[in-house]
């Protein structure tokens, strides 16, 4: 799989209180005759020349850095377009978001088409990808992360004991201070879900559309929910796939990662148990689970080849994103059991201090996550959460509830989180695997509850992160395609059987 497709596939990526600043009055449509789109060639690397002639065109849309100061500093949002296959059948535009926050999405239209986005959808829409504000070819932000800082990305390392949380505190604080120190242009504080939703409406206006449809995965569900809530009359058909549960990710939302791994791991354990003769990980799912803890605790005590228990747990969590990753993970476990080493590529490469290729993605993830909501600042809150989740979700709870740089973030939030609007049109289709490691089923249920009569929830008896196009369930695919093409919304919530 080429780099562009891998990037689209894996972009991921899973509190109350008074918030600083007054809400920004910017839920009005972004009608601006000065905004226009001039399509041209996309930047190098967006498409792979080996795939044949370029199919995407790209353009930039100007937006205010700060919507409170619309005449002030500007930023550029780069978008891409895969034009409709049939102008006779074209009904509008379909905006995409691959997740993150921080996922680059210019190549996503072509990626989804290659993965099997139905022809009826490609006929019905100009499919629009984008690098959201701060990301990639849009006006970027950077915390200046090096390759040995950004390894765990958006998930804290597993806290093997209480002392590990205390040791994490100065690291998390240092990251927050580093981001603030590197924010030379003053952009980081304005990278938020609310502003990204405002940017979506700038894009709508620039494309000359009265309404836009939207398909978002993972964090893209938060962005889509925010857009449908802030601009309900401009939202057409909204599909939210693999849901974090609201328009923002806070500490409670992050803790659901632990729950997600508990719900998704049994599928891997059953798969591995059925191949015990090949991998030797255990003849029953219970034995495979015990093998997980045996290996994790062994690596806690004696890391090998750059792999410690925290990295082993992270790798297993990531394995559960897609069943296609089960086999290489099982090979690594087998190597650990037989030789004490993880096998080729199994450990963490040594840090060089060089700029990280993940700097931009992780910088945007932190900016959005920390700017969107208040996070606990008392370290004892994290001590209690880790202790609780180590018991409730022993596979991974002590990572998901661990200390984040958001505890020390000084740049935001500047406005309250976007509140779900349940009074708009019934135009939100929520799709969700029952066993998803990073956005568990509860996230889809929460979002459906908050939208009320505006939404329908389609749950799939399946495992992994991503349902529509990224999954293989024909029932869910037919429901989503029917909605995007014909506007056919299920009368009631429904469950699609495995298959």
């Amino acid at each position: 799989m080429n780099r562009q497709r891998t990037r689209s596939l894996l972009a991921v990526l899973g509190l109350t209180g008074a918030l600083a600043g007054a809400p920004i009055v910017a839920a009005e449509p972004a009608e601006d005759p000065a905004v226009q789109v001039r399509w041209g060639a996309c930047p190098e690397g967006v498409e792979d020349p080996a795939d044949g002639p370029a199919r995407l065109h790209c353009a930039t849309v100007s937006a205010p850095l700060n919507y409170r100061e619309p005449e002030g500093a500007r930023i550029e949002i780069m978008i891409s377009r895969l034009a409709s296959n049939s102008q006779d059948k074209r009904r509008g535009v379909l905006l995409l978001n691959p997740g993150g926050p921080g996922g680059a999405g210019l190549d996503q239209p072509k990626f989804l088409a290659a993965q099997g986005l139905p022809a009826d959808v490609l006929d019905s829409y100009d499919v629009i990808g984008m690098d959201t504000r701060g990301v990639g070819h849009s006006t970027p932000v950077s915390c200046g992360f090096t390759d040995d800082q950004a390894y765990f990305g958006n998930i804290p390392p597993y806290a093997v004991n209480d002392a590990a949380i205390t040791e994490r505190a100065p690291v998390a604080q240092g990251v927050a201070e580093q981001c603030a120190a590197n924010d030379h242009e003053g952009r980081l504080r304005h990278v938020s879900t609310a502003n990204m939703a405002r940017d979506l409406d700038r894009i709508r206006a620039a494309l000359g559309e009265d309404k836009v449809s939207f398909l978002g995965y993972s964090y893209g569900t938060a962005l889509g929910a925010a857009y449908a809530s802030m601009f309900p009359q401009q939202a057409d058909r909204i599909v939210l796939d693999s849901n974090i549960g609201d328009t923002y990710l806070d500490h409670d939302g992050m803790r659901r990662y632990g729950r997600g791994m508990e719900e998704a791991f049994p599928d891997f354990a059953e798969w591995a148990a059925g191949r015990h003769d090949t991998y030797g990980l255990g003849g029953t799912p219970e034995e495979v689970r015990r093998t997980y803890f045996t290996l994790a605790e062994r690596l806690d005590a004696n890391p090998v080849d750059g792999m410690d228990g925290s990295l082993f747990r992270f790798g297993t969590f990531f394995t559960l994103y897609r069943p296609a990753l089960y086999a290489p993970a099982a090979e690594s476990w087998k190597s650990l059991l037989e030789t004490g080493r993880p096998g080729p590529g199994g450990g963490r490469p040594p840090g060089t201090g060089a700029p990280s290729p993940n700097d931009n993605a992780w910088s945007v993830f932190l900016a959005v996550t920390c700017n969107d909501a208040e996070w606990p600042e008392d370290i004892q809150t994290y001590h209690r959460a880790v202790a609780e989740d180590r018991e409730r979700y022993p596979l991974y709870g002590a990572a998901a509830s661990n200390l984040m740089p958001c505890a020390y973030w000084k740049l935001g939030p500047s406005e309250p989180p976007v509140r779900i609007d349940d009074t708009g049109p019934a135009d939100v289709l929520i799709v969700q695997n029952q066993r998803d490691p990073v956005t568990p089923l509860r996230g889809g249920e929460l979002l459906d509850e908050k939208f009320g009569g505006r939404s329908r929830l389609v749950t799939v008896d399946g495992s992994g992160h991503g349902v529509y196009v990224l999954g293989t369930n024909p029932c869910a695919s037919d429901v989503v395609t029917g909605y995007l093409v014909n506007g056919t919304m299920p009368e009631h919530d429904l469950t699609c059987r495995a298959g």
Side-chain angles (χ1 to χ4, degrees):
M1 183 176 292
N2 67 41
R3 183 178 65 182
Q4 289 78 21
R5 291 179 180 177
T6 302
R7 183 179 64 209
S8 283
L9 184 61
L10 301 181
V12 174
L13 61 17
L15 300 168
T16 60
L19 299 181
I24 299 173
V25 180
E28 295 295 325
E31 305 297 350
D32 184 348
V35 177
Q36 55 185 320
V37 170
R38 294 186 178 89
W39 296 108
C42 290
E44 184 178 353
V46 172
E47 294 191 72
D48 188 343
D51 292 340
R55 296 180 61 193
L56 299 177
H57 292 90
C58 286
T60 58
V61 175
S62 177
L65 173 64
N66 180 0
Y67 278 88
R68 283 197 182 97
E69 300 175 0
E71 304 304 321
R74 312 290 293 183
I75 60 171
E76 290 188 340
I77 310 297
M78 182 166 283
I79 62 175
S80 63
R81 180 185 66 178
L82 181 62
S84 165
N85 288 333
S86 171
Q87 289 304 304
D88 291 338
K89 296 180 180 179
R90 180 189 182 279
R91 65 173 308 276
V93 298
L94 176 64
L95 307 183
L96 304 178
N97 185 270
L106 291 178
D107 66 323
Q108 196 183 12
K110 188 174 177 180
F111 167 77
L112 289 180
Q115 292 293 306
L117 187 65
D120 284 349
V121 176
L122 295 172
D123 287 344
S124 298
Y125 296 96
D126 290 344
V127 184
I128 307 296
M130 70 190 72
D131 285 354
T132 50
R133 77 164 45 204
V135 174
H137 292 286
S138 295
T139 304
V141 297
S142 170
C143 289
F145 292 122
T146 61
D147 62 356
D148 52 354
Q149 283 184 300
Y151 193 79
F152 282 97
N154 59 353
I155 304 172
Y158 185 91
V160 295
N161 52 36
D162 209 46
I165 307 167
T166 303
E167 294 168 1
R168 170 76 176 162
V171 176
Q173 183 175 4
V175 167
E177 292 173 350
Q178 178 177 332
C179 287
N182 277 273
D183 188 24
H184 304 299
E185 303 296 328
R187 296 172 185 160
L188 274 175
R189 68 181 68 250
H190 301 295
V191 179
S192 67
T193 297
N195 279 338
M196 288 180 179
R198 295 174 181 116
D199 293 341
L200 292 186
D201 211 54
R202 297 286 297 184
I203 294 168
R204 176 199 61 77
L207 294 174
E209 301 288 336
D210 294 330
K211 292 189 174 187
V212 289
S213 295
F214 181 88
L215 169 60
Y217 295 88
S218 196
Y219 164 76
T221 64
L223 179 56
Y227 186 77
S229 297
M230 295 172 69
F231 302 95
Q233 301 310 312
Q234 284 69 52
D236 188 7
R237 297 171 184 175
I238 308 298
V239 178
L240 308 179
D241 187 326
S242 306
N243 300 267
I244 70 171
D246 212 314
T247 63
Y248 59 92
L249 181 67
D250 61 5
H251 190 222
D252 289 340
M254 178 69 74
R255 291 175 70 177
R256 284 195 287 272
Y257 289 17
R259 175 175 179 164
M261 184 163 179
E262 293 290 340
E263 293 174 351
F265 184 83
D267 285 354
F268 169 74
E270 183 176 357
W271 179 93
R275 294 160 178 79
H276 178 61
D277 290 345
T278 300
Y279 299 111
L281 306 184
T284 66
E286 293 75 19
E287 289 177 355
V288 174
R289 184 180 175 94
R290 286 196 293 270
T291 299
Y292 170 85
F293 289 113
T294 295
L295 290 172
E297 291 163 7
R298 182 188 300 173
L299 290 164
D300 285 337
N302 297 291
V304 293
D305 292 351
M307 177 176 280
D308 58 12
S310 183
L311 184 57
F312 172 76
R313 293 177 177 93
F314 171 76
T316 304
F317 173 79
F318 184 76
T319 290
L320 304 178
Y321 275 51
R322 293 182 67 79
L325 301 174
Y326 289 178
E331 287 285 357
S332 180
W333 285 33
K334 178 182 179 181
S335 180
L336 282 166
L337 287 171
E338 294 178 351
T339 70
R341 300 186 179 282
R348 174 177 179 173
T352 66
S356 171
N358 299 314
D359 168 43
N360 180 234
W362 196 31
S363 299
V364 173
F365 173 86
L366 285 177
V368 173
T369 303
C370 303
N371 286 339
D372 275 359
E374 293 279 7
W375 282 67
E377 297 180 2
D378 178 11
I379 192 173
Q380 292 305 315
T381 301
Y382 298 92
H383 280 281
R384 289 191 295 270
V386 168
E388 291 171 4
D389 289 358
R390 184 179 283 114
E391 294 297 321
R392 290 195 300 173
Y393 311 127
L395 290 168
Y396 208 51
S401 55
N402 198 3
L403 196 65
M404 288 276 290
C406 295
Y408 303 96
W409 198 256
K410 302 303 181 185
L411 300 173
S414 60
E415 61 179 308
V418 178
R419 186 177 181 274
I420 297 289
D421 178 6
D422 62 358
T423 65
D427 58 357
V428 181
L429 183 64
I430 299 169
V431 291
Q432 181 71 51
N433 276 325
Q434 292 178 351
R435 300 175 298 282
D436 183 322
V438 64
T439 55
L441 175 60
R442 185 57 185 150
E445 293 172 341
L446 284 170
L447 204 56
D448 187 45
E449 292 167 8
K450 292 167 185 173
F451 270 115
R454 289 193 66 183
S455 66
R456 296 291 184 271
L457 173 63
V458 179
T459 59
V460 177
D461 182 6
S463 189
H465 190 49
V467 176
Y468 187 57
V469 182
L470 302 182
T472 58
N473 188 277
C475 163
S477 180
D478 288 347
V479 171
V480 176
T481 299
Y483 177 55
L484 288 175
V485 174
N486 303 313
T488 307
M489 176 75 83
E491 294 185 4
H492 306 285
D493 295 349
L494 62 89
T495 297
C496 288
R497 297 179 179 179

